[in-house]
Amino acid sequence: MSTALNETLVFECETGNYHTFCPISCVSWLYQKIEDSFFLVIGTKTCGYFLQNALGVMIFAEPRYAMAELEEGDISAQLNDYKELKRLCLQIKQDRNPSVIVWIGTCTTEIIKMDLEGMAPRLESEINIPIVVARANGLDYAFTQGEDTVLAAMAQRCPDICSEKIAKNNKENSSHPPLVLFGSLPSTVVTQLTLELKRQGIEVSGWLPSQRYTELPTLGDGVYVCGVHPFLSRTATTLMRRRKCKLIGAPFPIGPDGTRAWIEKICSVFGKVPEGLEQREAKIWDGLEDSLKLIRGKSVFFMGDNLLEISLARFLIRCGMVVYEIGIPYMDKRFQAAELALLEKTCQQMNVPMPRIVEKPDNYYQVQRIREFQPSLVITGMAHCNPLEARGIDTKWSVEFTFAQIHGFTNAREILDLVTRPLRRNNNLKSLGWSKLVKN
Amino acid sequence: MKLAYWMYAGPAHIGTLRVASSFKNVHAIMHAPLGDDYFNVMRSMLERERDFTPVTASIVDRHVLARGSQEKVVENITRKDKEEQPDLIVLTPTCTSSILQEDLQNFVDRASRESDSDVLLADVNHYRVNELQAADRTLEQIVRFYLEKAKKQNNLPFSEEKIEKTKKPSANILGMFTLGFHNQHDCRELKRLLNDLGIEVNEVIPEGGLVTNLKNLPAAWFNLVPYREVGLMSAIYLEKEFQMPYVATTPMGVVETAKCIREIAHIVNSIDPTRKFNHEDYIDQQTRFVSQAAWFSRSIDCQNLTGKKAVVFGDATHAASMTKILSREIGLRVACAGTYCKHDADWFREQVLGFCDQVLITDDHTQVGDMISNLEPAAIFGTQMERHVGKRLDIPCGVISAPVHIQNFPLGYRPFLGYEGTNQIADLVYNSFTLGMEDHLLEIFGGHDTKEVITKSLSTESDFHWSPDGLAELKKIPGFVRGKVKRNTEKFARQKGIRTINVEVMYAAKEAAGA
């Protein structure tokens, strides 16, 4: 066991044999976020089965998504893709009348090279509903990256900002150019972050995605953009290259430290001096003291599956935890540069060893390392939680971080509640004396 | 292309994985893209499995598309062979690998030369069969593989001419496996039933079985296949190759359990005519006094159920058995019986003939939903999907078949088969209906009036003014905590002397409360 203090962050890459959700799962939160949308996943029974099991109860609430299930005739090209999709989309239009249909391409459409991007514009003009194509497949992406592919495609559909509008914006709110934030968040969190910036005199002119497709923000040269999730690198690239927006590279507003750094960075770009942020952060930390007591000095191991890992690790180190390993499906060092720098700085300030960052991890090897390290907490997918718990290792199910509200000052407690829950539970049960529940 | 929101039976590879991971010391490797190993989550969560699910993926990614997956698949198989030393590795194709059309059999041949484990390619076509058919096929494939292997190596515990049977009468139970509907409880109940009849259990497969023991299968006197969906192919193979008789009557319900026992007795007595076990006495004793179901359907409570309308839907085994129980043993009227096992439609029709008004064969849940809302039955017996249809239409529903939720993996003893099973089913039926009746009465007499009172106490007229944005924000908070949030915010505002509550005050209150 190597316990030598790493001086800098160590990046490694393993075999990629790890468990994560398929990126088409983004449908589950995006259809709820974009109220007038309809998501059509073009794939096989395998995709459908995953969605229906992953989304559990939601499926029964008549969701605005469906599978276009490919049959043998579609694979062997006996059926005409275009005609088939047209038939289904007309049916959707008739039943649901959405403002946009999002086609989610899957592994199968990739392999049989179905030209979704080519068909969409034709069909769009024929049925008169915008069709957005996102290739959220398991060949290329992991879990939350699905949202990235959808938002990158949607960024192309945002209306162009006209120069008069920028001028108008500058006149009315002369203090700064328009700012658009990107990343899907529940509307309450959107309100919270918007308010947070308002306190610093910064107006958010729009969000990608918005509550409705018809309200997508205007983009263009001179618009500043900033991300709220660490997994949105393609969207960021699209916004910069295709829409000529200026990207503000900041740590992500996860945890009070991250939120403060995020606001400070935006303020500095707009030449504003942040007001009262330091006190605000300190006050939030004070309020968290009861939870912090539980985790200080404890260790944590991220197996990695949703790309939130760097930000969460950074926050937990600031909380006083030691992080052994940060598994992560994909590491965009440019998009996450500011976050990585903050992680490094946090490690130095807290005087803890720098964690190993393992890209494309191998779950088998990770389990061996977990056995060796015996961390106080493993943050991992559902496939490993129960087996690890049965071996006396406390776990937190990682997917909950994707669905819980974890952004901004107000929600810092939410993250800690998730992290401390297994520790609190197992503290309650400790005296019973049966923490290991497997025979060996 | 088909517009689909929900499906009853999963894709083929799930069936293969369910069979493979039910055996002890068998590892399955899926040839699949990232994220297709969702099976592990299902097993770990639904079955609350303590052990790591013995399924890994050999990931198909862009590089694989470009170069082919031979190296990777072979490497993953040999690696797993070294790490876990399983008896058998099953390479499992998925929808993705079916269209890649790589020669997986060739990889398997290569890998099996390099590894100590046996290696098999699951022979299932994703586009032709569903989960249940694939499971049946895979089980037969594994059984066949090991018996042929033993034959080739001359390793059978008996000679080809004369099969050595166990001294005492014995049975194999085929088709118990992971993620099956109440399978574990049913298995225990069947063992008890066989034990009562003086019959030993030779092997139970696949759940908990060892592939190295499969060569002992022919030593049993007969095979018992409790479920129609999985195990039948293996039983037919064993009958053909080793002249083993099998019983495929599902012992679900009083009448069918008796029928199953008679078939078993017939086989056992024909092999050993000297055996003196009076199974008719046993059936009579169990039916009238041990199982409560026969008495239950005679009791006056059950009179109230007479002629009440029910709809039944599920897999072929459970839907057919349930239809017969409801109509023959309880006296309900089954307005419609249906199954999503389209491949077994003829068998199903024959089974429920005369026990229901109409038959519905479909795997489209909207069709089932429409049927239910047209018929307006007093109760539904179906899958989790029908339970939700029932919720929407305010019709009670008992869950009798997969697909299922975590709730359908109860910790307590809940078999559906055998005599204890009849008790469980009677409870399920009775509870569904009384709940329906109570609901009805409540409606007639205006229901409990507590709702109004509770709402009032939560929204006591306060002297606070809520600004429109504050109110809008409050509405976004889920109903069950809204009252609490409102009270906390007002408490905070009172302390601070704030009169008008807007969004900012709400969040300030949240932060101050630290929750």
Side-chain angles (χ1 to χ4, degrees), chain A residues 15-23 38 40 42 44-46 48-50 52-54 57 59-60 62-63 65-72 74-75 79 81 84-85 87-88 91-92 96 107-108 110-112 114 135 137-142 187-188 191-192 195-196 199 280 284 360 362 364-365 367 371 382-384 386-388 390-391 409-411 413-414 437-438, chain B residues 1-14 18 33-38 40-53 57-63 65 72 76 79-80 82-84 94-97 99-100 125-131 363 384-386 388-389 391-392 403-405 473 476-477 496 503-504 507-508 510-515:
Chain A
T15 62
N17 281 333
Y18 64 101
H19 166 77
T20 182
F21 275 1
C22 174
F38 191 98
L40 184 67
I42 305 162
T44 60
K45 252 187 180 338
T46 306
Y49 199 62
F50 163 70
Q52 102 180 26
N53 281 295
V57 193
I59 191 94
F60 300 110
E62 293 195 17
Y65 80 81
M67 290 291 308
E69 194 183 310
L70 300 170
E71 291 165 301
E72 206 165 10
D74 299 301
I75 305 300
L79 296 168
D81 297 338
E84 291 293 299
L85 281 169
R87 185 172 56 83
L88 299 192
Q91 197 182 329
I92 292 165
R96 305 289 169 106
C107 305
T108 312
E110 287 296 310
I111 295 170
I112 63 174
M114 196 184 272
R135 300 175 172 203
N137 62 68
L139 295 171
D140 301 305
Y141 305 110
S187 61
T188 43
T191 316
Q192 287 162 8
L195 270 176
E196 218 60 76
R199 283 194 190 147
R280 185 146 166 71
I284 297 287
K360 290 174 143 224
D362 186 298
Y364 182 84
Y365 298 145
V367 170
R371 286 199 170 125
M382 278 193 288
H384 296 108
N386 272 340
L388 286 172
R391 282 157 183 78
F409 285 124
T410 320
N411 295 311
R413 170 161 291 273
E414 196 90 7
L437 291 150
V438 279
Chain B
M1 259 177 234
K2 197 168 82 178
L3 199 60
Y5 298 89
W6 205 77
M7 64 184 94
Y8 284 102
H13 71 268
I14 297 285
R18 282 175 63 186
L34 196 64
D36 272 2
D37 58 352
Y38 187 68
N40 296 28
V41 175
M42 287 173 61
R43 201 166 117 102
S44 172
M45 295 304 285
L46 295 179
E47 289 255 49
R48 299 182 193 88
E49 188 50 64
R50 299 170 197 221
D51 280 317
F52 291 98
T53 302
S58 175
I59 305 281
V60 177
D61 56 16
R62 285 281 158 191
H63 299 287
L65 289 191
K72 206 168 182 181
N76 276 317
R79 179 182 153 190
K80 209 32 84 182
K82 292 204 180 67
E83 284 168 359
E84 314 261 347
T94 58
C95 58
T96 310
S97 54
I99 39 176
L100 284 177
N125 180 326
H126 181 90
Y127 293 94
R128 305 252 165 101
V129 296
N130 68 20
E131 174 182 358
D363 54 6
Q384 279 294 339
M385 191 37 130
E386 282 68 49
H388 283 267
V389 173
K391 257 190 189 168
R392 206 179 309 155
V404 284
H405 269 182
E473 200 62 18
K476 288 182 199 159
I477 292 162
K496 298 276 167 186
V503 197
E504 297 201 37
Y507 289 118
K510 187 179 181 203
E511 282 157 23

Side-chain angles (χ1 to χ4, degrees), chain B residues 492-507:
Chain B
F492 173 80
R494 198 171 293 125
Q495 284 165 356
K496 298 276 167 186
I498 300 169
R499 309 300 301 169
T500 305
I501 299 176
N502 58 16
V503 197
E504 297 201 37
V505 177
M506 275 183 75
Y507 289 118

Side-chain angles (χ1 to χ4, degrees), chain A residues 113-269:
Chain A
K113 300 199 166 54
M114 196 184 272
D115 181 21
L116 298 177
E117 277 93 349
M119 283 187 279
R122 251 172 82 202
L123 191 57
E124 183 171 315
S125 60
E126 237 183 300
I127 67 168
N128 219 3
I129 291 183
I131 296 175
V132 172
V133 180
R135 300 175 172 203
N137 62 68
L139 295 171
D140 301 305
Y141 305 110
F143 196 13
T144 47
Q145 287 180 289
E147 175 178 322
D148 194 20
T149 62
V150 173
L151 295 190
M154 231 160 234
Q156 313 264 36
R157 300 305 185 105
C158 293
D160 265 316
I161 196 160
C162 44
S163 42
E164 296 110 72
K165 199 158 176 203
I166 294 191
K168 195 172 149 232
N169 178 71
N170 287 349
K171 212 192 296 162
E172 276 172 13
N173 183 8
S174 55
S175 58
H176 68 85
L179 170 69
V180 170
L181 300 179
F182 59 97
S184 161
L185 287 173
S187 61
T188 43
V189 184
V190 166
T191 316
Q192 287 162 8
L193 288 181
T194 309
L195 270 176
E196 218 60 76
L197 288 172
K198 202 173 161 191
R199 283 194 190 147
Q200 305 300 336
I202 295 170
E203 282 295 329
V204 177
S205 60
W207 281 78
L208 174 69
S210 44
Q211 202 68 25
R212 303 178 68 83
Y213 178 76
T214 46
E215 294 160 3
L216 281 179
T218 49
L219 295 176
D221 207 354
V223 173
Y224 281 77
V225 291
C226 187
V228 298
H229 292 311
F231 45 77
L232 296 175
S233 48
R234 278 171 67 89
T235 310
T237 312
T238 310
L239 288 169
M240 282 191 296
R241 297 209 183 132
R242 310 292 289 269
R243 303 309 307 262
K244 308 286 172 231
C245 300
K246 294 195 176 62
L247 178 71
I248 302 175
F252 300 98
I254 292 170
D257 49 340
T259 308
R260 179 180 159 196
W262 182 72
I263 297 172
E264 278 176 347
K265 185 65 199 278
I266 295 174
C267 285
S268 79
V269 169

Side-chain angles (χ1 to χ4, degrees), chain B residues 3 34 157 227 251 262 285 305 311 317 348 394 477:
Chain B
L3 199 60
L34 196 64
Y227 310 114
R262 289 194 183 102
Q285 177 73 14
L305 301 183
V311 166
T317 304
F348 184 79
D394 254 337
I477 292 162

Side-chain angles (χ1 to χ4, degrees), chain B residues 402-427:
Chain B
V404 284
H405 269 182
I406 193 150
Q407 297 161 346
N408 304 110
F409 292 90
L411 303 175
Y413 188 48
R414 302 268 169 75
F416 269 66
L417 303 186
Y419 287 109
E420 178 54 31
T422 61
N423 293 338
Q424 296 291 339
I425 293 169
D427 277 343

Side-chain angles (χ1 to χ4, degrees), chain B residues 127-194:
Chain B
Y127 293 94
R128 305 252 165 101
V129 296
N130 68 20
E131 174 182 358
L132 299 168
Q133 291 164 292
D136 200 12
R137 174 87 195 87
T138 304
L139 183 59
E140 192 250 14
Q141 198 189 352
I142 294 175
V143 167
R144 182 190 290 265
F145 176 81
Y146 277 98
L147 283 167
E148 279 173 7
K149 184 181 171 194
K151 240 193 242 175
K152 236 182 269 166
Q153 297 174 341
N154 240 342
N155 195 17
L156 283 175
F158 46 80
S159 68
E160 290 248 14
E161 298 77 50
K162 193 171 180 313
I163 296 168
E164 205 75 44
K165 294 286 175 192
T166 53
K167 280 214 184 68
K168 279 192 177 170
S170 64
N172 299 318
I173 302 177
L174 310 183
M176 296 291 169
F177 68 151
T178 188
L179 291 171
F181 184 73
H182 293 246
N183 272 200
Q184 283 177 341
H185 312 285
D186 283 349
C187 189
R188 207 168 118 195
E189 185 63 20
L190 288 183
K191 282 180 181 167
R192 192 163 93 174
L193 182 72
L194 290 172

Side-chain angles (χ1 to χ4, degrees), chain A residues 215-357:
Chain A
E215 294 160 3
L216 281 179
T218 49
L219 295 176
D221 207 354
V223 173
Y224 281 77
V225 291
C226 187
V228 298
H229 292 311
F231 45 77
L232 296 175
S233 48
R234 278 171 67 89
T235 310
T237 312
T238 310
L239 288 169
M240 282 191 296
R241 297 209 183 132
R242 310 292 289 269
R243 303 309 307 262
K244 308 286 172 231
C245 300
K246 294 195 176 62
L247 178 71
I248 302 175
F252 300 98
I254 292 170
D257 49 340
T259 308
R260 179 180 159 196
W262 182 72
I263 297 172
E264 278 176 347
K265 185 65 199 278
I266 295 174
C267 285
S268 79
V269 169
F270 291 150
K272 289 182 187 288
V273 180
E275 275 170 42
L277 263 189
E278 213 176 311
Q279 296 89 308
R280 185 146 166 71
E281 191 198 349
K283 211 170 142 219
I284 297 287
W285 283 117
D286 282 347
L288 299 175
E289 188 48 37
D290 54 331
S291 295
L292 295 175
K293 263 191 273 180
L294 287 171
I295 55 171
R296 253 184 220 122
K298 296 240 162 70
S299 56
V300 61
F301 189 110
F302 285 87
M303 283 184 81
D305 71 344
N306 58 15
L307 285 95
L308 296 172
E309 291 88 2
I310 302 284
S311 310
L312 289 173
R314 178 260 302 149
F315 168 60
L316 292 181
I317 292 171
R318 171 66 67 195
C319 290
M321 295 186 90
V322 178
V323 176
Y324 282 138
E325 174 166 329
I326 309 177
I328 187 166
Y330 168 71
M331 180 74 244
D332 184 332
K333 285 188 200 161
R334 280 208 305 188
F335 182 60
Q336 295 222 40
E339 184 63 84
L340 286 169
L342 183 58
L343 170 66
E344 210 159 19
K345 199 174 113 195
T346 306
C347 288
Q348 283 156 0
Q349 284 174 348
M350 301 302 289
N351 197 24
V352 291
M354 302 267 174
R356 279 151 50 96
I357 296 175

